[in-house]
Amino acid sequence: MDQGPPLLRVQGLTIAFPGDGAPVEAVRDVSFDIARGETVAMVGESGSGKSVTALSLARLLPSPPAEFRSGKILFDGRDVFALAPPELRSLRGGGIAYVFQEPGTSLNPVFRVDSQIAEAIRLHRPGVTDIDAEIVRSLDLVGIRDPALRMRDYPHQLSGGMQQRVMIAMALACQPKLLVADEPTTALDVTIQKQVMDLLKELRSRLAMTILLITHNFGIVSDFADRVLVMYRGRIVEQGPTRSVLRDPRHPYTRALIDCIPRLGAKPGRLKTIDHAAIQAALPHV
Amino acid sequence: MEGTLTPSPLARDRWRRFRRIPRAHRSLWILGGAFVLSLFSDLIANDRPLYLAYGGRHFFPAFKFYPETSFGGRYGTEPDYHALRESPAFRAGRGWMLFPPIPYGPIRSNLDRPDPPPHAPSWGHWLGTDSIGRDVLSRLIHGFRVCMLFALALVAVSAVLGIVIGGVQGYAGGRVDITLQRLIEIWAALPFLYVLILLGSIYGRSFSILLCVTAAFQWIGLSYYMRGEFYRLRDQTFVVASRALGAGHGRIIFQQILPNALGPVITILPFTLIAGIGTLTALDFLGFGLPPPSPSWGELLQQGLKQLYCPWIAFSAVAALFTTLMLASFIGEGVREVFDPRSKSRYD
Amino acid sequence: MSDTPLIEVRDLQVHFPVLAGVLRRPAGAVRAVDGVSFAIPRGITMGLVGESGSGKTTLGRAILNLLRVTGGRVRFEGRDITNLSAGEARPLRRRMQAIFQDPFNSLNPRLTIAQIVGEALEIHFPKMRRSERRDEVARLLGIVGLEPSHLDRYPHEFSGGQRQRIGIARALAVKPDFIVCDEPVSALDVSVQAQIINLLQDLQDEFGLTYLFIAHDLAVVEHISDHVLVMYQGKIVESAAADELYRTPSHDYTRRLLDAVPTIA
């Protein structure tokens, strides 16, 4: 891992959304760093604020309704909130690229795969002259066979797993410094899930990428991430190296989240569930 | 089923959001208020008095027909109340009458003045008179009522037709859908104006013929939306769930699908209203609309065009039409925004 | 009780026509379910795993008489229930119910919880008074772990897990014997998933229910099921007791599925 300042530093980030009465803080005082070349997993249930945090990194949250209450996001040493519109555009894709949960809706159905990747390359790497070659290279990178042929396909002609590979290829074509994968496998079949995770693993080692993986499932974290952040109700309740968090979770929520996953070959019986009241009691009150 | 008549929180929430758009909300009140007032146009602009006292008895000519003989005249016809007021016999009988604020009906020509019509605006006729001496303001007010009634009836009829036919197509799908779709395409290809002229020449021009013919073409656009919505919704899991519970077609259509399908229809309705007003005015302007002497904005526009040297006629009609269409557009805009609140969120 | 299984499926086929050309003539067929046979004894949970497009949802809906079967037979308590008309199927709906995957899509957003759960009661017990129905719905909500105060709320006011509980209450309303659970936990967070699975098991113990549990996650299926069917491209490629399947998978596809289950090292 590189030394020096982290690639991403989030400090005291608080984001609120208008609620029924008073605004609701979806993210509360969240701070974390991601070093260059590191893979960090952010684990939490829906509503824990993990996706909101991830989207806010490149200011992708619509505002209004989102309201940035406080905090700082420093990417590559620069304050994301202070960026001028052109700088912000180059940050998106070029600095931070995203892969989302639903590959089917993330790709524009009326354009062929190649024109969508080409757009990304043109935007972020104006120096590239042979765009077609670059498209083939990026599709090849994500393990799509016959890339020169497949790049002429429309998104609906591809399976869900293939679509997600295209999304990853598109994200990588911009040569981002940080790849944010927001539940990249949740919408996919288990066998495809594994393929996509294997692909990300391989790409990470080949390209020395920095990855932020957002997920609700501890299962896919264990052999993937260097470090884990556990989010619960807008806060980070625990963070640390994956191994030690999994082996010796300190926060009751983390323990509960690990325990409730059904395991193959385990004795049948009741699954453990999360006792929210107990966890609430364990949370520091603000 | 319990509670279907009370508005859902979604509907209440939408109404709340609508109220927060001042332009649309105010437009709704103004146009709605004007329409309700126009229902009482006979009390606002009429050449029959609201109240008449004669020979110790009370009369209400605005509401009831009285023959001339009731007031000492000779004939069994309705008296000209303006002339009656001035007649010596009426005065001798200590007659007294109260006219509405605008003492002219939309049909009666005021030919009492020495100069020939049209008359420029004056104290007697606030917006002047038209080429045969009828009060322009009175015709505007009565014309507004006709116009709104026509447009609202058009909205209602075409909404029902569009929902039913589009819904059947989308719900049944397959052969029913294709057959109906082809028939609709043939129907839509008929020239509207020819059909109108044809039917008008057979049955005579009237409000109901005009409404039927216009509605017969107006629902088509709406039915496309409904068809799409029903297609989308009939495969939703909650519809499958309802079928799995043993629900019949009626229950599925009316309880499960229809309430969810109405959104796009409601956003179109204000614009159908605009189309209705526009159509009636255009037809009247061309002379294919309501038979004369019905009060109508299109007919006023036509007169204004012919008599450009009397700008008050064209100006009044254009101003009235413009204001009405603008108010309806503001309402439509507001409704659309309520159904798509995301148009307000901002990305940077 | 006799040896007749509750559900028996014989050589079941469901084909969907592929329409082509301007005239939309059938040009071929997708064999969504292609000759499937199995039996579900009373009181057990039959797991059905397979990836999306393998035909498992189609199979579930074919058993429930929610779509037309191309060939083969479905028997319920020995009685042939293949391709019944809507009227003939209605009494059957009281015995067989369904729980669906997407808790956001399976509840009508325009109806209250009382209306959604009460719909089955309205259909099958039209003579029931409104107050009785409300009481019954409140009781059902209690069974699935919700509050009677939720009666007049709308689906959007609930979380994914709560909505799935509402879906379960709706299925339970008619006191069925058999429930097809079509990916009931796939759209849920892992922690909520565990609650719903526990709830389904409790309900099975309490009411003696029989489940066909459809999912793509083998770990979940293995946990809840007594017996597991593995479906691949419209066919059942493996059928084994749950623990046996895990220990000695015979089909290559089953091995791939097992291999793909994420494990916490």
Side-chain angles (χ1 to χ4, degrees), chain A residues 54-89:
Chain A
L55 285 172
S56 67
L57 298 181
R59 277 168 61 190
L60 284 173
L61 280 182
S63 172
E67 180 199 338
F68 293 94
R69 286 268 171 95
S70 61
K72 238 186 191 173
I73 299 173
L74 293 173
F75 183 77
D76 220 0
R78 290 196 301 172
D79 184 350
V80 169
F81 287 109
L83 293 180
E87 295 171 312
L88 190 61
R89 278 198 296 276

Side-chain angles (χ1 to χ4, degrees), chain A residues 45-46 189-190 222 269-271, chain C residues 52 189 191 198 202 216 223 263:
Chain A
E45 296 170 272
S46 44
D189 279 318
V190 249
S222 64
R270 288 180 68 84
L271 288 168
Chain C
S52 45
D189 276 324
S191 63
N198 287 344
D202 293 347
H216 66 260
H223 176 84
T263 46

Side-chain angles (χ1 to χ4, degrees), chain B:
Chain B
M1 195 145 196
E2 57 249 60
T4 17
L5 285 176
T6 54
S8 71
L10 197 63
R12 259 179 277 153
D13 190 48
R14 282 180 174 154
W15 173 240
R16 215 168 37 232
R17 278 210 296 265
F18 184 80
R19 283 202 322 214
R20 278 198 218 118
I21 309 169
R23 197 160 75 173
H25 187 222
R26 280 184 209 139
S27 298
L28 181 67
W29 278 111
I30 296 172
L31 197 62
F35 173 66
V36 172
L37 269 182
S38 80
L39 292 177
F40 303 98
S41 345
D42 288 332
L43 307 183
I44 299 166
N46 201 341
D47 45 18
R48 298 180 185 90
L50 297 173
Y51 171 72
L52 186 151
Y54 178 75
R57 283 167 55 206
H58 310 285
F59 299 90
F60 303 94
F63 307 98
K64 212 174 155 204
F65 169 83
Y66 300 104
E68 222 177 77
T69 47
S70 318
F71 314 112
R74 262 185 286 167
Y75 305 108
T77 53
E78 185 158 40
D80 174 345
Y81 288 99
H82 286 275
L84 182 69
R85 186 164 62 172
E86 306 305 322
S87 75
F90 185 72
R91 284 188 180 170
R94 300 229 267 151
W96 183 83
M97 57 177 86
L98 172 71
F99 274 102
I102 300 156
Y104 301 101
I107 310 233
R108 180 178 177 275
S109 303
N110 181 5
L111 302 172
D112 303 341
R113 298 175 45 156
D115 51 328
H119 307 112
S122 65
W123 189 240
H125 297 284
W126 296 346
L127 293 179
T129 66
D130 69 359
S131 51
I132 53 172
R134 296 176 295 199
D135 186 73
V136 171
L137 182 55
S138 176
R139 281 185 78 72
L140 273 186
I141 292 170
H142 285 266
F144 177 70
R145 174 167 71 174
V146 173
C147 203
M148 285 301 283
L149 281 175
F150 177 83
L152 287 171
L154 179 70
V155 166
V157 176
S158 54
V160 169
L161 282 175
I163 288 168
V164 169
I165 296 173
V168 165
Q169 280 183 287
Y171 185 73
R175 246 165 249 260
V176 177
D177 175 36
I178 295 264
T179 314
L180 275 172
Q181 194 58 30
R182 293 294 96 83
L183 289 177
I184 290 172
E185 278 155 20
I186 293 168
W187 179 245
L190 289 180
F192 162 66
L193 209 52
Y194 284 6
V195 175
L196 187 69
I197 295 170
L198 194 75
L199 288 178
S201 64
I202 298 171
Y203 299 105
R205 277 149 63 187
S206 71
F207 185 89
S208 45
I209 291 274
L210 209 55
L211 180 64
C212 289
V213 177
T214 319
F217 287 91
Q218 192 70 46
W219 60 269
I220 294 172
L222 254 166
S223 80
Y224 292 163
Y225 280 91
M226 282 314 281
R227 173 174 175 256
E229 284 295 295
F230 267 70
Y231 251 126
R232 184 176 68 81
L233 288 164
R234 72 169 182 170
D235 291 331
Q236 298 281 302
T237 318
F238 62 80
V239 175
V240 178
S242 187
R243 279 177 56 209
L245 288 176
H249 294 305
R251 173 179 283 272
I252 288 174
I253 290 176
F254 289 106
Q255 216 146 43
Q256 302 290 348
I257 300 186
L258 192 59
N260 286 291
L262 286 178
V265 175
I266 292 168
T267 55
I268 300 171
L269 292 185
F271 299 100
T272 311
L273 186 85
I274 292 174
I277 296 172
T279 308
L280 182 68
T281 309
L283 289 173
D284 282 341
F285 181 82
L286 295 172
F288 298 124
L290 297 170
S294 332
S296 118
W297 289 6
E299 190 259 352
L300 264 181
L301 274 175
Q302 170 70 8
Q303 279 197 35
L305 187 70
K306 277 191 192 143
Q307 300 173 59
L308 285 170
Y309 57 90
C310 308
W312 59 87
I313 302 177
F315 181 78
S316 308
V318 168
L321 191 62
F322 175 77
T323 312
T324 310
L325 293 184
M326 188 180 68
L327 291 173
S329 303
F330 286 161
I331 297 171
E333 208 180 66
V335 172
R336 208 161 48 184
E337 199 170 304
V338 164
F339 276 85
D340 187 15
R342 278 165 303 177
S343 56
K344 270 279 162 92
S345 52
R346 216 172 62 86
Y347 290 86
D348 55 9

